[in-house]
Amino acid sequence: MRILLIGAGGVGTAVTRIAARRGFFERMVVADYDPARAEAAVAALSGTAGESRFAAARIDASDETAVAELLAREGCDVLLNATDPRFVMPLFRAALAAGAHYLDMAMSLSRPHPERPHSETGVKLGDEQFALAERWEAAGRLALVGIGVEPGLSDVFARYAAEELFDEIEEIGVRDGANLTVDGYEFAPSFSIWTTIEECLNPPVVFERERGWFTTPPFSEPEVFDFPEGIGPVECVNVEHEEVLLIPRWVGARRVTFKYGLGSEFINVLRVLHQIGLDRTEPVTVTARDGRRAEVSPRDVVAACLPDPATLGDRMHGKTCAGTWVTGTRDGRPREVYLYHVVDNAWSMREYGSQAVVWQTAINPVVALELVAGGEWSGSGVLGPEAFPPRPFLDLLTAYGSPWGMREQ
């Protein structure tokens, strides 16, 4: 397998550090708009056994033709997208044009309903990708979408619960929480603030079998969820997320939700950003220091003002937990479980030099790539993680040294 990895930020760099320890691929080209980031990701592997399989390149992720040409030039048969969601569609189309397989960790962007954003869906997450499913099927190529940790591992948990733990499922609720702190900053998100603003301020989507997909106001339906391994109770709220759009396509459940443990301070910051328009992506005109006029995206300015999450590992303490809470029946009796994956920042920094949140995201596409390379996961078209047998994934995740857990509620 020859892999083109596009995006050498925190997640992309963590992908290289995880993949370097595995022998299932022949070559990985690490490409980024900033060649220094790609070169740094490769240079960090110096001295490792698999170092010679990696190379750096520059690419503009919005340039479909250039991406397709790079895939062809390097003989890559799969594109792994580690950029933010703005670049999903150009990379998705470029991989299809080049005849390559495709994996991402976040799906194509949504657009709220123009009149009733807090009750009805507009363009849903992933709609643009699923619209091209027949073309992927006809090409005999696989587009595996949403294969990070959430979405990704959380979806694998949902399929595992349906296959091995339940006869009937009432609700599948993805629940994400952490007790992470960062020294020296009043506000320092542990993941991309651009993506966080997008998913938290868009209307959350809920699925119910009787209604289909519908929306609610941001931060709705707060609940306190008790996370395992010492994290403890965290208030979680509805957030727009891909699992709600993916799970019902392959797993039967009466209701599917996603709730994120943001905390009141984080929610307040997001609300203020929205109130003053700093969540907007449409450019505004500003005056530069030299007096010239320039157009900038307010959300990009927010991201530029905050520390890069990938650089926070040495200041970060605590654990992050991603998991899937499932209720239903087994053998005629009620059952409730929480399937989860916890990463301790001290461990991920010591073992890989990557902070917990980006490392937890990065390990899952590497596991998936290994399953695709070995033929244990195969298919064509646009498919989510739920479309594949879950046990090989969960077993290989454990073999990578990052076991998962299950708690009977």
Side-chain angles (χ1 to χ4, degrees):
M1 175 178 277
R2 295 174 70 89
I3 304 163
L4 173 59
L5 167 65
I6 298 188
V11 173
T13 297
V15 163
T16 65
R17 294 172 182 179
I18 297 165
R21 302 187 184 188
R22 308 299 296 185
F24 67 89
F25 65 97
E26 175 188 350
R27 181 171 173 82
M28 179 179 288
V29 178
V30 184
D32 197 278
Y33 187 78
D34 180 355
R37 294 209 309 177
E39 290 161 4
V42 172
L45 303 174
S46 178
T48 65
E51 174 192 1
S52 62
R53 295 177 293 165
F54 293 83
R58 184 191 181 279
I59 196 67
D60 179 348
S62 67
D63 188 336
E64 296 177 34
T65 300
V67 172
E69 289 174 349
L70 181 58
L71 281 163
R73 186 165 65 250
E74 292 287 349
C76 293
D77 48 13
V78 60
L79 188 160
L80 173 56
N81 176 3
T83 65
D84 75 52
R86 286 174 290 184
F87 302 104
V88 162
M89 288 311 296
L91 295 178
F92 183 77
R93 288 188 294 257
L96 179 61
H101 300 301
Y102 169 89
L103 285 79
D104 64 31
M105 291 162 269
M107 295 169 65
S108 59
L109 293 170
S110 65
R111 293 191 296 277
H113 191 283
E115 286 87 33
R116 295 174 293 281
H118 297 153
S119 60
E120 297 184 27
T121 61
V123 175
K124 301 186 299 300
L125 292 168
D127 275 357
E128 291 184 79
Q129 290 173 287
F130 282 112
L132 297 179
E134 290 185 0
R135 290 181 56 188
W136 281 88
E137 290 174 16
R141 293 293 180 265
L142 170 64
L144 174 49
V145 297
I147 186 61
V149 62
E150 291 173 344
L153 178 56
S154 52
D155 304 70
V156 174
F157 283 149
R159 176 68 181 267
Y160 173 75
E163 285 195 1
E164 302 197 23
L165 304 179
F166 290 83
D167 298 321
E168 296 288 338
I169 293 177
E170 172 69 14
E171 180 167 352
I172 296 173
V174 180
R175 299 293 184 265
D176 179 304
N179 61 358
L180 294 168
T181 60
V182 180
D183 294 338
Y185 292 97
E186 290 188 26
F187 183 74
S190 58
F191 200 69
S192 162
I193 189 62
W194 198 99
T195 303
T196 301
I197 289 172
E198 181 72 17
E199 63 190 21
C200 292
L201 291 177
N202 276 351
V205 180
V206 175
F207 174 84
E208 291 182 357
R209 185 179 293 147
E210 297 79 11
R211 295 180 60 182
W213 287 291
F214 61 94
T215 58
T216 72
F219 315 119
S220 57
E221 300 180 0
E223 68 175 51
V224 175
F225 192 85
D226 187 18
F227 289 91
E229 298 195 19
I231 295 174
V234 179
E235 185 177 78
C236 300
V237 294
N238 280 332
V239 166
E240 181 191 50
H241 233 252
E242 286 89 344
E243 291 94 326
V244 180
L245 287 311
L246 286 172
I247 289 171
R249 297 174 185 267
W250 288 279
V251 179
R254 193 193 68 79
R255 179 176 165 89
V256 182
T257 58
F258 180 96
K259 293 189 179 184
Y260 197 0
L262 294 169
S264 58
E265 180 184 7
F266 203 139
I267 289 173
N268 184 59
V269 169
L270 292 173
R271 282 178 168 152
V272 171
L273 290 175
H274 177 65
Q275 287 167 355
I276 60 178
L278 288 177
D279 62 324
R280 291 168 49 194
T281 57
E282 302 84 0
V284 297
T285 302
V286 298
T287 302
R289 181 178 298 178
D290 62 4
R292 290 186 293 179
R293 306 286 278 175
E295 289 193 340
V296 297
S297 158
R299 194 184 301 183
D300 288 343
V301 172
V302 172
C305 290
L306 291 171
D308 180 351
T311 67
L312 298 176
D314 291 332
R315 295 170 174 260
M316 192 179 292
H317 310 279
K319 300 176 181 179
T320 184
C321 178
T324 304
W325 164 74
V326 187
T327 65
T329 58
R330 178 74 166 186
D331 298 326
R333 298 179 178 180
R335 190 176 197 187
E336 180 180 353
V337 304
Y338 183 57
L339 302 153
Y340 64 88
H341 185 252
V342 172
V343 177
D344 186 326
N345 186 73
W347 176 86
S348 64
M349 286 298 296
R350 182 175 65 250
E351 291 293 318
Y352 288 89
S354 295
Q355 55 103 320
V357 177
V358 298
W359 188 90
Q360 188 184 46
T361 304
I363 188 173
N364 296 285
V366 181
V367 171
L369 283 168
E370 185 161 347
L371 292 175
V372 171
E376 290 143 297
W377 276 16
S378 63
S380 62
V382 180
L383 302 176
E386 307 86 347
F388 301 92
R391 178 56 75 172
F393 189 99
L394 296 175
D395 289 346
L396 189 54
L397 181 67
T398 300
Y400 271 52
S402 189
W404 56 283
M406 184 178 85
R407 182 180 69 190
E408 294 278 356
Q409 299 283 83

